[in-house]
Amino acid sequence: MQVAPTRFRHLRVAIVHDWLVVNGGAEKVLKGLAEVFPQAEIFTLVHTLERASIPWLTQHRIHTSGLQRLPFISRFYRHCLPLMPYAIEQFDLRGFDLVISSSHAVAKGVITHPGQTHICYCHTPMRYAWDMKEAYLENSHFRLPGMTAYVRKTLKRLRQWDYFTSTQVDFFLANSHNVAQRIAKYYRRDADVLYPPVDTDSFTLHIGQREPYYLAASRLVPYKRMDLIIQAFAQDPLKRQLKVVGDGPEFQRLKRLAEGSPHIELIGYLQGEKLHQLMQRAQAFVFAADEDFGIVPLEAQACGTPVIAYGHGGALETVKGLEHHQQATGVYFTEQTVASLSAAIEAFEAHEFSPQACRLQAEAFSNAVFTQRLETLVSEKLN
């Protein structure tokens, strides 16, 4: 059992997390928060994860909202977005001294009271209400008449609620400088940067021979741009091998894109040691999303594997480009196009990367670094 640092042990702590449906990057941050505050109670809208996938939460009391009782909520929780502001405001946090919201949607909207300190760890301002609104509407393909107009009106109300609730937060922590800039833009608030924790101890540096394939891994949703990666390798005249790990709503479409390209393999969902072994042996990890931060490229670097990344968003903070010379850990491509990605692959193969430099870069984002900076920032805010 984790023991709270002495300076926090006397505090009654609530951690508010949007939902526990997928064990992804936000949940790795939640794990880091829970380890610093083992006495914390967890509040979340929906919790459908199996205990085996989150053993680190078993010692915490978990509270869910009324949405938990809806049928098939694990599949359709995103459809409840219009109800989420109301649901998050129903949590009763009167008994706590410190409230930490882990928010990429509505968690920061929880109602706190005088005498409480509310620190929001912001993964991003609600992207489908702000900068990704048009892309969200374009990818939704609504069939019912008037549905687009209804959704636009709903997103407008969400945007107004999201801005208002940002004024109720005492202090913001952002998961990157990229997100801190968006917090300043949309909320008109300053934020300290606290990078998410990377479990570097779970990844082994590999400095030996690598196999002749490139690796891409993520949840298969449109904004991850796995379609771009597959198209680039499908059109590659040298037929470089590509392995794609992940599952999601885009799987069948991506499978059709890869038809006729035997050098492209869609493996499906993998985790743990099997995924780590693929990372260790790959020539490079390919990352085409415009992410808020992006933990997986750092996990690849922890294995000593360089990254070919889209040069926007969080990747600019986690990957060292060719301008770093011998300390470079990857190559950027500047546009989300096949030509730009293909040129980056050529540039990658013309440069020799140090597995040790990749590992060193990942260790700058380790669990220990996260914990130390979190404790320092929370102490500053409480004082």
Side-chain angles (χ1 to χ4, degrees):
M1 178 176 175
Q2 295 284 332
V3 177
T6 304
R7 55 188 147 170
F8 302 139
R9 203 172 298 168
H10 67 288
L11 295 174
R12 295 164 297 176
V13 181
I15 300 176
V16 186
H17 189 71
D18 288 307
W19 48 72
L20 285 167
V21 177
V22 178
N23 194 5
E27 286 65 43
K28 292 173 182 177
V29 172
L30 176 61
K31 180 182 179 183
L33 295 172
E35 288 177 348
V36 173
F37 300 102
Q39 77 274 36
E41 296 185 28
I42 311 296
F43 292 79
T44 188
L45 293 176
V46 178
H47 174 25
T48 61
L49 289 176
E50 297 180 2
R51 277 180 171 268
S53 67
I54 49 168
W56 41 271
L57 270 186
T58 54
Q59 73 182 61
H60 298 268
R61 185 179 178 188
I62 300 178
H63 306 263
T64 57
S65 74
L67 298 179
Q68 180 78 21
R69 296 190 292 272
L70 296 178
F72 310 110
I73 190 62
S74 63
R75 289 181 57 193
F76 300 112
Y77 67 99
R78 290 186 184 275
H79 293 76
C80 296
L81 183 62
L83 303 175
M84 289 181 181
Y86 173 81
I88 205 74
E89 290 178 351
Q90 303 314 302
F91 285 132
D92 182 0
L93 302 183
R94 285 175 295 176
F96 298 95
D97 306 305
L98 173 63
V99 176
I100 301 178
S101 55
S102 166
S103 184
H104 59 79
V106 299
K108 74 167 183 14
V110 70
I111 294 176
T112 54
H113 305 277
Q116 295 177 317
T117 300
H118 179 187
I119 299 174
C120 174
Y121 187 95
C122 185
H123 304 274
T124 178
M126 198 186 306
R127 297 198 74 170
Y128 26 83
W130 295 98
D131 52 315
M132 287 185 67
K133 173 175 65 71
E134 296 303 326
Y136 171 76
L137 290 167
E138 182 180 329
N139 291 325
S140 296
H141 305 298
F142 298 117
R143 297 178 182 177
L144 294 176
M147 193 64 178
T148 299
Y150 167 76
V151 172
R152 281 188 181 277
K153 187 174 181 179
T154 299
L155 292 179
K156 180 181 178 180
R157 288 199 300 267
L158 274 173
R159 207 157 44 247
Q160 292 168 337
W161 178 87
D162 193 45
Y163 176 78
F164 171 76
T165 56
S166 73
T167 68
Q168 309 304 299
V169 173
D170 295 309
F171 304 101
F172 274 100
L173 305 180
N175 74 352
S176 63
H177 291 283
N178 175 41
V179 167
Q181 290 172 359
R182 292 217 300 277
I183 290 172
K185 171 71 174 177
Y186 300 132
Y187 299 157
R188 300 293 192 262
R189 297 290 302 275
D190 293 329
D192 291 289
V193 174
L194 173 60
Y195 289 121
V198 180
D199 188 7
T200 52
D201 292 339
S202 295
F203 297 85
T204 304
L205 172 64
H206 178 71
I207 57 176
Q209 186 70 29
R210 292 182 177 267
E211 296 180 17
Y213 66 84
Y214 291 78
L215 177 68
S218 81
R219 179 159 169 76
L220 304 184
V221 292
Y223 86 94
K224 297 288 188 179
R225 294 311 311 270
M226 296 297 253
D227 57 337
L228 170 61
I229 299 173
I230 290 174
Q231 287 169 348
F233 278 84
Q235 297 175 28
D236 178 19
L238 298 181
K239 306 297 182 185
R240 294 177 177 89
Q241 293 182 46
L242 172 68
K243 295 182 185 292
V244 177
V245 174
D247 199 2
E250 289 271 282
F251 185 86
Q252 291 302 323
R253 186 175 80 87
L254 296 175
K255 190 174 181 181
R256 289 193 294 271
L257 279 178
E259 286 179 358
S261 302
H263 56 289
I264 299 175
E265 181 183 4
L266 271 70
I267 296 173
Y269 179 74
L270 285 180
Q271 64 175 350
E273 190 59 29
K274 292 182 179 179
L275 178 57
H276 298 174
Q277 288 175 357
L278 285 176
M279 283 183 172
Q280 290 172 328
R281 300 287 179 176
Q283 294 290 315
F285 183 84
V286 188
F287 188 71
D290 182 358
E291 280 280 19
D292 306 309
F293 179 71
I295 288 180
V296 183
L298 281 166
E299 293 176 342
Q301 290 173 82
C303 297
T305 302
V307 179
I308 300 171
Y310 178 47
H312 283 257
L316 293 174
E317 300 176 53
T318 59
V319 179
K320 289 185 175 180
L322 293 179
E323 67 275 11
H324 292 273
H325 306 293
Q326 296 304 313
Q327 298 306 309
T329 65
V331 175
Y332 296 125
F333 56 100
T334 57
E335 298 176 351
Q336 287 178 314
T337 63
V338 168
S340 186
L341 174 51
S342 299
I345 295 171
E346 296 286 347
F348 167 81
E349 294 185 346
H351 188 90
E352 192 166 321
F353 293 87
S354 163
Q356 291 87 349
C358 292
R359 176 73 187 191
L360 191 64
Q361 172 69 354
E363 287 177 349
F365 299 83
S366 68
N367 284 334
V369 172
F370 173 86
T371 298
Q372 183 178 25
R373 180 155 170 76
L374 173 63
E375 292 178 8
T376 299
L377 288 169
V378 171
S379 293
E380 289 177 359
K381 307 312 179 190
L382 291 176
N383 289 333

